[in-house]
Amino acid sequence: MCTQLYFDYAATTPVKKEVLEEMLPFFNINFGNPSSIYNIGRQGRNALDIARDRVAKTLNSKSEEIFFTGGGSESDNWAIKGVAFANRDKGNHIITSKIEHHAVLHTCEYLEKEGFEITYLDVDKYGLVGVDDLKNAIRDNTILVSIMYANNEIGTIQPIKELAQIAKKSGIIFHTDAVQAYGNEIIDVNDLGVDLLSISAHKIYGPKGVGALYIKKGTKIQQLIHGGGQEKKRRAGTENMPGIVGLGKAAEMAYENIEEHIDRLTRLRDKLIDGIMTKIPYTRLNGHPTKRLPGNVNISFEFIEGESILLSLDMEGIAASSGSACTSGSLGPSHVLAAIGLSHEIAHGSLRLTIGDFTTEDEINYVVEKLQSIVDRLRQISPLYEKVKRGK
Amino acid sequence: MYNEKVMDHFMNPRNVGEIEDAEAIGEVGNPICGDIMRMYLKIDNNDIITDVKFKTFGCGSAIATSSMATEMIKGKTVREALRLTNMAVVEALDGLPPAKVHCSVLAERAVKTAIYNYAKERNLTYKELDGFDPNDDHDGHDHDEE
């Protein structure tokens, strides 16, 4: 139990040393308010510009299109509420999918209470949104389409470019929640043709509580946080300087060797998937076999329940998650697994293992080995497995 | 999240298995909720439970409460077993997190259902079973959550 093997990189990541080092002076040395005109204030302003340039470079956007926020959830809230309220004169219909993060889904549910109409698109068995489904859902009064880039639970990567093109043809604003994809996919906002894109620092080895929203120049959007004139009067509040500096550095590092990062994680991911699927019977891979995040593994083990798998893994020093960590307080099975058509029974037995920059091949082997005995032990206790063994 | 005693009963559950010639078998729960418990009882002519085995599909607390419940009724009379409450099982485990207490209801119901089936087959009546309905799906879950 002493060595902690971390298999929950989709939940959060550790801050990298280089990132932390750049952040530290902004707590107590370069602590000036970037809005102040004296020297340490100007230093802050300068650091803010550098961070913005770094993030813009990773997305191939202009620096002035990057707005810092308090994280991925705020970026999603701002994008959706901001567009909804600013474009109310044009219509009140929004299209999203059934497998979005709660930051999007619950924001849409809130807007329904405010008089907006929301279409929640179905997904196929891999978790993919259908391009034709989006086409068919568009109405005269549709003002926004929000589809996540990659899913946090099952890792499925959507055809964002195609989806954005459809929205664009009808003059509809397109937002994508790229919190999971950022740092794990090559993202070019111009090539994709998206208007808004949410990212978060703590998924890419940066600090928690900071993120950004890319807002394409000319996109009609209201502000979410009112107050001072920060972020070109669009997002009030004294800037979280250590956080923003951390995001900038983490973004730069994430995209320094992005191809290598993707190749390495994909290889480890497939090794983990193959190991589990070949060594443990009655398993199924959730999500798409290839259109999936390089670090995501989501597997259902029949006849057993997810929490008991997590507890057993924890006893072996392995940190993982079942469905989304955000919903672990709830008893209902994950909305994502339900949307891809899993029965409740199979959804309850799902395990998400997400890998990252510090995952080693030895760790993969260790987890596969431990999982074999854990799954076997729990199945020996399960009355459902007993029925299968008897051939019923 | 769970205390040491619960983790012990989860990692090393007592009385796991089946009894081929059990006098009483009770199955409760539902895979949709994520838990199913099956209880086997061996009952002698003096109405004493001489052996108990269980199989459970469920979370850590479902497995731990199954294990503890079997320990608590082994060697007891049928009447005594019927007086087992879920709160007594929780207490014996030194407590469960509030969100997990509902799992212990399953253990109590599994014992009662097994004895209900046993009594029905043999035309026996136990006043402790008055008003007990094994088909009542009440498992303590809040199905509307999330």
Side-chain angles (χ1 to χ4, degrees), chain A residues 19-30:
Chain A
V19 173
L20 183 63
E21 274 168 10
E22 286 210 14
M23 290 172 67
L24 286 175
F26 290 88
F27 282 100
N28 59 350
I29 299 166
N30 301 337

Side-chain angles (χ1 to χ4, degrees), chain B residues 24-105:
Chain B
I25 299 175
E27 183 174 305
V28 292
N30 158 356
I32 291 173
C33 306
D35 44 21
I36 297 177
M37 200 175 285
R38 196 185 302 146
M39 198 74 81
Y40 301 81
L41 309 181
K42 196 93 191 102
I43 301 168
D44 74 5
N45 295 331
N46 300 317
D47 245 18
I48 287 169
I49 299 167
T50 55
D51 198 10
V52 195
K53 294 270 188 241
F54 82 92
K55 284 258 172 125
T56 292
F57 160 77
C59 63
S61 59
I63 291 170
T65 50
S66 309
S67 165
M68 181 52 90
T70 58
E71 278 211 316
M72 290 172 82
I73 62 168
K74 203 169 180 175
K76 298 281 166 58
T77 65
V78 168
R79 282 226 147 79
E80 283 168 331
L82 284 171
R83 285 196 286 267
L84 178 83
T85 65
N86 74 303
M87 288 320 289
V89 178
V90 173
E91 219 168 278
L93 285 167
D94 296 339
L96 282 172
K100 289 288 177 180
V101 171
H102 69 89
C103 304
S104 61
V105 176

Side-chain angles (χ1 to χ4, degrees), chain A residues 159-370:
Chain A
I160 292 298
K161 191 174 174 174
E162 284 175 78
L163 297 169
Q165 265 169 6
I166 289 162
K168 199 179 242 175
K169 267 185 210 155
S170 306
I172 298 163
I173 295 172
F174 192 94
H175 165 250
T176 186
D177 169 359
V179 166
Q180 292 289 338
Y182 189 59
N184 290 307
E185 283 295 306
I186 295 166
I187 300 175
D188 178 331
V189 288
N190 294 311
D191 179 53
L192 286 176
V194 299
D195 301 297
L196 299 145
L197 181 140
S198 305
I199 63 166
S200 168
H202 78 104
K203 309 288 192 190
I204 58 161
Y205 311 92
K208 291 162 185 67
V210 60
L213 180 64
Y214 157 77
I215 306 177
K216 188 186 176 143
K217 202 163 181 273
T219 306
K220 207 174 161 197
I221 182 169
Q222 268 189 14
Q223 70 187 100
L224 182 71
I225 311 285
H226 299 266
Q230 292 86 357
E231 299 295 283
K232 288 192 286 177
K233 298 185 185 166
R234 297 178 89 170
R235 199 279 187 182
T238 298
E239 296 85 349
N240 168 10
M241 288 307 299
I244 290 169
V245 167
L247 169 58
K249 182 64 181 171
E252 186 184 73
M253 289 181 73
Y255 280 90
E256 254 164 15
N257 295 303
I258 184 74
E259 283 99 351
E260 203 181 301
H261 166 86
I262 293 171
D263 287 350
R264 194 182 96 86
L265 284 197
T266 303
R267 192 175 50 77
L268 288 176
R269 175 198 75 190
D270 290 343
K271 186 179 165 69
L272 182 54
I273 292 173
D274 291 347
I276 294 170
M277 303 290 285
T278 54
K279 291 195 172 130
I280 307 177
Y282 303 109
T283 50
R284 72 156 268 166
L285 178 70
N286 299 317
H288 198 280
T290 53
K291 291 172 191 167
R292 87 185 287 131
L293 286 171
N296 175 289
V297 175
N298 189 311
I299 285 177
S300 284
F301 299 93
E302 285 187 61
F303 323 120
I304 57 177
E305 192 274 341
E307 193 223 49
S308 57
I309 306 172
L310 290 189
L311 283 174
S312 307
L313 284 169
D314 185 38
M315 294 301 281
E316 302 289 351
I318 300 162
S321 104
S322 180
S324 168
C326 309
T327 56
S328 61
S330 124
L331 301 167
S334 122
H335 66 284
V336 177
L337 299 179
I340 60 170
L342 292 200
S343 68
H344 283 211
E345 193 175 334
I346 304 294
H348 275 296
S350 85
L351 174 72
R352 184 187 73 177
L353 297 164
T354 45
I355 58 174
D357 282 357
F358 302 108
T359 309
T360 65
E361 203 148 337
D362 285 348
E363 288 182 350
I364 301 274
N365 293 334
Y366 182 80
V367 164
V368 172
E369 184 195 313
K370 288 297 169 190

Side-chain angles (χ1 to χ4, degrees), chain B residues 82-135:
Chain B
L82 284 171
R83 285 196 286 267
L84 178 83
T85 65
N86 74 303
M87 288 320 289
V89 178
V90 173
E91 219 168 278
L93 285 167
D94 296 339
L96 282 172
K100 289 288 177 180
V101 171
H102 69 89
C103 304
S104 61
V105 176
L106 212 60
E108 177 193 319
R109 291 187 58 79
V111 172
K112 288 207 168 108
T113 302
I115 297 173
Y116 178 93
N117 294 338
Y118 166 79
K120 208 172 153 191
E121 264 174 40
R122 290 169 176 73
N123 276 321
L124 301 168
T125 47
Y126 295 101
K127 65 177 183 336
E128 289 84 354
L129 279 172
D130 282 354
F132 177 76
D133 178 3
N135 297 318

